[in-house]
Amino acid sequence: MEWLQATLRAYPEIAVLMSLALGYWVGGKTFKGFSLGAVTGTLLAGILIGQMGITIQGPLKSLFFLLFLFAVGYGIGPQFVRGLAKDGLPQAGFAVIFCLLCLGFPILAVKIAHYDLGSAAGLFAGSQTISAAMGLSTDAINRTGLPADQIKSMLSAMPVAYAVTYIFGTIGSAFLLSQILPKAMGIDLKAACLDYEQKNKTDDSAATSEGTAWHEYELRSYKLDRCADNLTIGQLEGKFPSHQVFVEGLRQDGQIKEISSQTPLKAGDVVAIGGDHQAVVDVSDEKTCFTEVEDKELVNQPVSGVDVYVSHKDINGKTLAQLATGAGAHGVFVRRIKRGLTGVEIPILATTQLHRGDVITLSGLSKDVNRAAGEIGIIDQRGKVADVAFMSLAIVIGALIGAIVVRVHGVPLTLSTAGGALIAGLVFGWIRSVHPTFGFVPEPTVWFLNSVGLNVFIAVVGLTAGPNFIAGLKQLGLSLFLWGVAATSLPLIFGALIGRYLFKFHPAILFGCCAGARTTTAALGMINEKAQSTVPSLGYTITYAVGNTLLTLWGLVLILILA
């Protein structure tokens, strides 16, 4: 034990990695559906190992925190900018008000309880489950000009307050938004989602609302009877309003012909009809008009399913119903839409809008899919190599801007290098969504920077605070926990009421908006599970982008207000 303690003191980088190993392992364990998560696990591991009196020198903590904040901004940039545009303005405005509540109630609690700046920052970060705010709070406390021993005491109190308030911040938020508040407000989430889906269907919604599961695309050949006389291909496709089917090939008078929607048909023609399994089965059942035959040459056409990165400005904001009427949609099925840093799956409805930065999964014949992909954006075949030059330059620019200090009446005001890195991520992430030919950072890299970047910072915080953690917990424990409960619950309660009665959000998306503004993905999962639908996710992405940005910056604002 003495040898281990001496080694960790001499090589503190080993202590950081040990904290990560224990933190991710403990954080990944679940008990009755609940887990601490990697952040809390790493913090507790760092505090435990920090009892050995380990000192961390150098810019390790700051460097990884800058990488983390850039990744956050990069991932949510398109949704953040979208939220400030016309169509997303109500949800963005709601997120701003919600975030002000998330700042105001913790400040009120701190004022009443007379906590110092470190405990205030930890209570805010823990009760609102926004770990990133501690980094900006740390920078702000270091700039207060207070005596060094006082600053050290405050920074030691921060992880104590965070750890005590975080558990209810996570569990309490999820239960309030998925169980308690819907019941208290008389909302049946499942019925609300069914109502939302019904209201957002159109006569041609079958073409765009087949669900989000992957289906095998089938192509079969049929001989036409007299019922096809004088019909065009477009009219024949319209004979199946309950499913989306396409004529993908035509053999007429023994020859394979080029086709369009206006191509006339006649009895004896052989057509290749494509669609998902159920659609093709329905065609087979129409035996008075269609007789299935074998025509290998006609149906031997390559089929593909691809992910497409949405980037074209003409597509941005268009609904699936609008896009389905275009010639480019012929033969193409929408199978999945993923949006934002967290890869939230968006329900496929006729009124679902596509945004720049979305990744949409298409299936159909290769020729049709490639044509549609070219009209939407680019096929997502970006490889695994990150544009490190782009990423590093963006962080440098943001950090340099954030390092500027402006004094107003003697008070130093600054974004800090951390705030600058976050804003750089937002700007450059949005630029990437508009011009996807450069600046690519693969999803696994974004995850690494988000998760490991933050947790290296958290590990250093835990290691540094370790010796003083037990004393702080004994001093503030129960009262701090109760103030954390209040700071977590009150913004959610008032936010849900404001969203329902002031913004008049549909009940199906109301709690998704609240979960997004509070950046609590765990709550969204429980809401979707309770609703048995992904419709609440429609309220999550824009509010998440705005909330993640503001709640992180509030770590700086909180200290400026209280100091």
Side-chain angles (χ1 to χ4, degrees):
M1 212 45 205
E2 292 180 1
W3 172 83
L4 178 62
Q5 184 171 331
T7 302
L8 294 182
R9 285 176 175 175
Y11 303 99
E13 62 272 21
I14 300 177
V16 173
L17 292 172
M18 186 182 293
S19 300
L20 292 178
L22 287 174
Y24 275 89
W25 181 72
V26 172
K29 300 296 182 182
T30 59
F31 177 74
K32 294 185 178 180
F34 170 72
S35 66
L36 287 175
V39 174
T40 304
T42 300
L43 176 63
L44 295 177
I47 289 169
L48 178 63
I49 298 170
Q51 302 302 315
M52 299 181 186
I54 297 167
T55 302
I56 306 291
Q57 302 288 349
L60 176 71
K61 181 172 68 170
S62 300
L63 172 61
F64 274 87
F65 193 63
L66 291 181
L67 292 172
F68 158 71
L69 286 174
F70 170 79
V72 169
Y74 181 87
I76 64 177
Q79 285 72 47
F80 183 83
V81 174
R82 177 71 188 173
L84 300 180
K86 180 179 178 181
D87 291 340
L89 199 56
Q91 289 187 15
F94 168 77
V96 172
I97 293 175
F98 194 101
C99 289
L100 288 172
L101 294 175
C102 292
L103 176 65
F105 281 110
I107 287 179
L108 181 62
V110 167
K111 289 284 190 181
I112 296 173
H114 303 291
Y115 290 143
D116 63 22
L117 294 181
S119 298
L123 183 146
F124 168 74
S127 64
Q128 310 308 314
T129 62
I130 186 73
S131 313
M134 289 197 293
L136 275 75
S137 294
T138 299
D139 287 348
I141 290 173
N142 283 326
R143 292 175 182 270
T144 56
L146 295 171
D149 58 339
Q150 191 174 350
I151 289 177
K152 182 178 179 180
S153 175
M154 290 178 178
L155 295 181
S156 296
M158 190 186 305
V160 178
Y162 173 85
V164 171
T165 57
Y166 178 83
I167 294 178
F168 184 84
T170 301
I171 301 176
S173 298
F175 274 97
L176 277 168
L177 291 177
S178 65
Q179 307 287 339
I180 298 173
L181 286 177
K183 185 175 291 187
M185 297 174 69
I187 294 173
D188 183 331
L189 282 175
K190 184 177 180 181
C193 289
L194 290 174
D195 176 70
Y196 187 93
E197 290 176 352
Q198 190 62 37
K199 287 181 178 178
N200 286 278
K201 285 183 179 180
T202 62
D203 292 338
D204 60 348
S205 63
T208 54
S209 60
E210 299 173 0
T212 57
W214 180 270
H215 298 283
E216 189 72 28
Y217 187 90
E218 293 189 21
L219 194 64
R220 298 185 184 180
S221 53
Y222 298 89
K223 187 175 182 179
L224 301 179
D225 205 340
R226 292 179 181 177
C227 68
D229 278 341
N230 301 318
L231 290 181
T232 65
I233 283 180
Q235 291 170 333
L236 182 67
E237 292 173 340
K239 289 177 68 66
F240 300 92
S242 61
H243 289 288
Q244 190 177 16
V245 297
F246 300 105
V247 175
E248 300 285 13
L250 170 65
R251 186 182 295 277
Q252 197 169 68
D253 299 326
Q255 301 294 320
I256 294 178
K257 304 286 188 178
E258 294 289 331
I259 60 173
S260 71
S261 62
Q262 301 302 316
T263 300
L265 300 170
K266 62 182 180 180
D269 288 350
V270 177
V271 292
I273 293 182
D276 66 22
H277 176 73
Q278 188 57 51
V280 175
V281 168
D282 284 357
V283 172
S284 300
D285 289 341
E286 293 287 338
K287 299 186 184 301
T288 57
C289 189
F290 301 90
T291 302
E292 188 167 3
V293 296
E294 184 176 1
D295 192 325
K296 292 183 179 180
E297 184 182 6
L298 193 62
V299 300
N300 188 22
Q301 302 185 54
V303 175
S304 63
V306 299
D307 290 336
V308 180
Y309 189 90
V310 179
S311 61
H312 287 186
K313 63 179 181 180
D314 295 336
I315 299 298
N316 191 42
K318 293 288 184 66
T319 66
L320 295 181
Q322 291 173 321
L323 296 174
T325 61
H330 185 274
V332 177
F333 293 80
V334 177
R335 300 305 189 189
R336 185 179 295 111
I337 303 173
K338 294 177 71 175
R339 179 171 297 161
L341 174 66
T342 55
V344 174
E345 192 162 315
I346 302 300
I348 300 176
L349 302 172
T351 55
T352 297
Q353 294 180 327
L354 291 186
H355 298 166
R356 276 177 170 167
D358 287 351
V359 176
I360 179 172
T361 302
L362 304 178
S363 68
L365 294 186
S366 297
K367 61 179 183 179
D368 295 329
V369 168
N370 291 335
R371 180 192 64 246
E375 296 181 3
I376 294 172
I378 62 172
I379 294 178
D380 196 12
Q381 296 176 334
R382 298 168 291 177
K384 301 179 181 179
V385 179
D387 190 341
V388 178
F390 169 89
M391 183 172 65
S392 301
L393 178 62
I395 296 173
V396 167
I397 293 173
L400 287 174
I401 294 174
I404 298 173
V405 179
V406 178
R407 292 190 175 273
V408 179
H409 300 295
V411 178
L413 299 180
T414 175
L415 281 173
S416 79
T417 55
L422 174 64
I423 293 174
L426 290 170
V427 173
F428 282 81
W430 174 76
I431 292 174
R432 158 71 189 169
S433 73
V434 177
H435 302 287
T437 55
F438 66 93
F440 171 56
V441 181
E443 186 174 335
T445 303
V446 174
W447 176 89
F448 180 85
L449 295 178
N450 262 284
S451 183
V452 179
L454 174 61
N455 281 305
V456 168
F457 168 81
I458 292 295
V460 176
V461 168
L463 290 167
T464 304
N468 301 316
F469 182 84
I470 302 300
L473 187 61
K474 288 179 179 179
Q475 180 182 352
L476 301 174
L478 180 59
S479 63
L480 182 62
F481 175 80
L482 294 176
W483 283 117
V485 170
T488 293
S489 304
L490 291 175
L492 295 174
I493 294 169
F494 281 90
L497 293 173
I498 290 171
R500 184 75 181 99
Y501 299 109
L502 179 61
F503 285 85
K504 300 187 184 302
F505 291 142
H506 191 284
I509 67 169
L510 169 64
F511 299 104
C513 289
C514 293
R518 254 294 308 280
T519 66
T520 172
T521 307
L524 178 66
M526 290 187 68
I527 294 167
N528 285 346
E529 182 179 350
K530 182 71 174 178
Q532 298 180 25
S533 170
T534 58
V535 167
S537 300
L538 290 171
Y540 184 81
T541 55
I542 289 176
T543 54
Y544 175 86
V546 175
N548 207 353
T549 303
L550 291 183
L551 290 178
T552 300
L553 291 174
W554 282 176
L556 171 65
V557 174
L558 177 87
I559 302 303
L560 291 176
I561 292 174
L562 293 176

